[in-house]
Amino acid sequence: MEAADLLPLLEQLDDNIDDLEEALKPILDSSVVETSKKLPVMDKAKFHVLVTYALESLIFSYLRLHGVNAKEHSVFRELTRVKQYFAKITALEAEPEKRTLTLDKQAASRFIKHGLAGNDKIDLARKEQEAKERARAQLKASILAKKAGATSQQSSQNATSNSESESESEELVKPAPKPSGKGSDDKKKRKDKQKRRVSKEEHNENKKERRKKKDELRKTKKLK
């Protein structure tokens, strides 16, 4: 690389050093101890870690400028250790998870019963309360069972009534049975017999009328 190419890089390095001196001036004007006294605990930890990291980084850069393999130097191990401190500080700065307090009711009731044990009045009152709660639970269960039985019975009655009404409607809707062939023949025979009887009776009446007329004619002839 030619010297003309190195000049811009050197100028940039000079500018970076000037910026670094301005940034470190407040720290360099006073000692680290005096500066850290005025800071709270978390800021004090950050301050010490940042100062250490800045010094180790300068040493690392100095070694590389002189052609030394800085990764094999002990300063590289110090830089990794300082980075671990950075991670610890960021973890502490993160908001802790909110712990929800939960009450174990069973454990609390056991403690209370154990603490109140030995007092006859309290034991008797507790037993009475437990008996009342059991009686209430049994009463509720019986009421629910009765309601369930009543609803099932009512539903069965409704189902039977619906089935009966459906059967009645089906019977009403059923068409009338068609007359069989034998019944129609019997009716025809009866009608024929009735017609014959009527015709015989008419014939007999006609005969009677004729006889009457003949008798009347005979009587009139005799009188003449």
Side-chain angles (χ1 to χ4, degrees):
M1 186 179 288
E2 295 180 359
D5 296 331
L6 292 173
L7 288 174
L9 295 174
L10 291 172
E11 289 178 356
Q12 186 178 359
L13 179 61
D14 191 12
D15 294 334
N16 291 331
I17 291 169
D18 292 336
D19 294 335
L20 182 61
E21 286 178 353
E22 289 179 0
L24 295 174
K25 188 176 181 181
I27 300 169
L28 296 173
D29 289 341
S30 61
S31 63
V32 176
V33 177
E34 290 178 356
T35 306
S36 62
K37 281 181 181 179
K38 302 174 184 178
L39 299 173
V41 178
M42 187 62 70
D43 293 336
K44 189 185 290 186
K46 288 180 183 179
F47 177 71
H48 284 288
V49 172
L50 286 170
V51 169
T52 306
Y53 187 76
L55 293 172
E56 298 292 342
S57 298
L58 289 172
I59 295 167
F60 184 80
S61 300
Y62 177 79
L63 291 172
R64 290 193 67 183
L65 286 171
H66 285 78
V68 179
N69 190 1
K71 289 184 178 180
E72 294 179 356
H73 199 272
S74 60
V75 72
F76 185 73
R77 291 194 297 273
E78 291 295 324
L79 282 171
T80 55
R81 187 173 65 84
V82 173
K83 287 180 181 179
Q84 291 176 359
Y85 284 116
F86 274 122
K88 290 179 180 180
I89 290 168
T90 52
L92 289 171
E93 284 181 339
E95 293 182 359
E97 295 181 356
K98 293 181 179 179
R99 295 181 180 179
T100 56
L101 295 174
T102 56
L103 178 63
D104 192 353
K105 293 182 180 180
Q106 294 180 356
S109 63
R110 286 198 299 272
F111 280 119
I112 292 166
K113 287 179 181 179
H114 182 71
L116 295 175
N119 193 340
D120 295 334
K121 290 182 179 180
I122 294 171
D123 292 337
L124 183 62
R126 187 176 68 250
K127 288 179 181 179
E128 289 178 355
Q129 185 67 25
E130 289 177 355
K132 287 179 181 179
E133 289 177 357
R134 288 175 186 171
R136 287 174 185 172
Q138 289 177 358
L139 182 62
K140 285 182 180 179
S142 63
I143 290 167
L144 291 172
K146 286 180 181 179
K147 285 182 179 179
T151 52
S152 62
Q153 187 176 2
Q154 188 175 1
S155 61
S156 63
Q157 288 177 358
N158 292 328
T160 53
S161 62
N162 290 327
S163 62
E164 288 176 357
S165 61
E166 287 177 358
S167 62
E168 289 177 357
S169 61
E170 287 177 357
E171 288 178 357
L172 292 171
V173 172
K174 282 182 181 178
K178 293 181 180 180
S180 60
K182 292 181 180 179
S184 60
D185 293 335
D186 293 335
K187 286 181 179 180
K188 287 180 181 179
K189 288 178 181 179
R190 288 174 185 173
K191 286 180 180 179
D192 293 335
K193 285 180 181 180
Q194 288 177 357
K195 286 180 180 179
R196 288 173 186 174
R197 287 176 185 175
V198 171
S199 61
K200 284 181 180 180
E201 289 176 356
E202 289 178 352
H203 184 67
N204 292 326
E205 287 179 356
N206 290 327
K207 280 183 178 181
K208 287 179 181 179
E209 288 179 356
R210 287 174 186 174
R211 285 176 184 177
K212 284 180 180 180
K213 287 179 180 180
K214 286 180 180 179
D215 292 335
E216 288 177 355
L217 289 170
R218 286 174 185 174
K219 286 178 181 181
T220 52
K221 285 179 180 180
K222 286 179 180 182
L223 291 171
K224 289 178 178 180

